[in-house]
């Protein structure tokens, strides 16, 4: 209970009250209290862990929104054009999404924890991590472009909630433009529903 409540308080301090993720975390904690009172401790613990994740997302989203108000969006987008990939040797791993969803899955959370650790210890090896959101080919191009942005934003917000500076990550959508698997099986579709992490070097002005 204490970890979930502490994460919720951190989200509140970041100005996340009113965000859907914050409200979801509050509701999950309340449900956990009811489960605990009913003697169902295992279910309560699972709800509290999910509440903690939601609170982390809420904190990151609030911080990212506050940061976005302090930067010149046009200059930031122009700076992205001047970045170059720094290589894949740093070990940043991709995370995957369910069909038509942008919510961070349970199996993605340890991956994002590890990515956050790598970014924290990276020093000046790369200036920023570009998080690219991808989709499978189902849906219109316009819809998938928006969905890819939501997926990249979700991954970025979670990292920021873990303490990564908003200036260190930049979320962009690749929609369905590039495919990691070219088939039409569910496996192929799953490979293309991802957030891909690209450490980059250059002179970002954000």
């Amino acid at each position: 209970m204490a970890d979930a409540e502490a994460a919720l308080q951190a989200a509140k301090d970041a100005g996340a009250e009113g965000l859907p993720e914050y409200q979801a975390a509050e509701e999950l904690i309340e449900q956990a209290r009811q489960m605990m009172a009913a003697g169902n401790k295992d279910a309560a613990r699972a709800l509290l862990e999910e509440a903690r994740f939601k609170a982390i997302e809420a904190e990151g989203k609030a911080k990212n929104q506050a940061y976005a108000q302090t930067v010149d969006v046009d200059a930031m987008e122009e700076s992205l054009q001047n970045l170059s990939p720094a290589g894949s040797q740093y070990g940043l791993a991709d995370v995957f999404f369910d069909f038509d969803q942008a919510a961070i899955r349970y199996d993605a959370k340890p991956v994002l924890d590890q990515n956050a650790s790598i970014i924290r210890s990276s020093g000046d090896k790369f200036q920023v991590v570009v998080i690219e959101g991808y989709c499978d080919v189902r849906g219109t191009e316009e819809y998938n472009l928006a969905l890819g942005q939501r997926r990249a934003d979700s991954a970025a917000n979670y990292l920021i909630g873990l303490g990564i500076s908003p200036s260190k990550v930049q979320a962009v959508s690749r929609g369905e433009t590039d495919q990691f698997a070219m088939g039409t099986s569910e496996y192929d579709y799953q490979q293309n529903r991802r957030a891909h992490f690209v450490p980059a070097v250059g002179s970002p002005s954000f």
Side-chain angles (χ1 to χ4, degrees):
M1 181 72 76
D3 287 347
E5 290 181 332
L8 190 67
Q9 183 61 50
K12 184 177 182 179
D13 294 343
E17 282 185 291
L19 293 177
E21 294 84 355
Y22 182 91
Q23 294 169 356
E26 273 191 319
E27 292 171 4
L28 287 164
I29 290 174
E30 180 55 33
Q31 291 173 24
R33 286 197 181 97
Q34 295 172 10
M35 288 287 183
M36 198 73 77
N40 194 343
K41 294 182 179 179
D42 289 342
R45 277 193 285 271
L47 288 172
L48 288 171
E49 190 66 353
E50 184 62 23
R52 188 174 70 85
F53 291 145
K54 286 293 180 188
I56 290 171
E57 289 182 58
E59 180 184 354
K61 188 173 185 179
K63 288 181 175 178
N64 205 14
Q65 288 177 343
Y67 174 74
Q69 294 177 356
T70 68
V71 298
D72 184 326
V73 175
D74 291 337
M76 182 174 65
E77 291 179 350
E78 184 176 343
S79 292
L80 283 173
Q81 306 302 318
N82 299 323
L83 295 172
S84 300
S88 59
Q89 67 271 29
Y90 302 107
L92 294 170
D94 294 353
V95 296
F96 297 87
F97 296 85
D98 290 332
F99 173 66
D100 199 25
Q101 297 295 317
I104 299 297
R105 297 193 325 202
Y106 192 83
D107 65 344
K109 286 156 184 168
V111 178
L112 291 173
D113 287 346
Q114 180 63 24
N115 284 354
S117 178
I118 292 170
I119 295 169
R120 275 192 214 97
S121 60
S122 64
D124 58 358
K125 295 175 183 173
F126 47 84
Q127 277 70 52
V128 67
V129 175
V130 179
I131 303 175
E132 301 175 332
Y134 289 88
C135 304
D136 64 42
V137 295
R138 293 172 291 182
T140 66
E141 184 175 338
E142 182 180 17
Y143 183 86
N144 283 336
L145 199 59
L147 179 58
Q149 186 65 53
R150 293 200 302 274
R151 288 172 174 168
D153 287 340
S154 291
N157 289 338
Y158 197 84
L159 290 176
I160 293 167
L162 291 173
I164 300 302
S165 170
S167 66
K168 195 72 173 177
V169 293
Q170 183 60 41
V172 300
S173 178
R174 300 295 186 221
E176 59 182 66
T177 54
D178 295 314
Q179 296 288 290
F180 289 81
M182 299 305 293
T184 57
S185 69
E186 180 51 38
Y187 173 81
D188 295 318
Y189 289 147
Q190 175 63 98
Q191 292 304 303
N192 295 320
R193 298 194 301 263
R194 72 171 67 198
H196 180 57
F197 297 79
V198 183
V201 295
S203 301
S205 60
F206 48 87

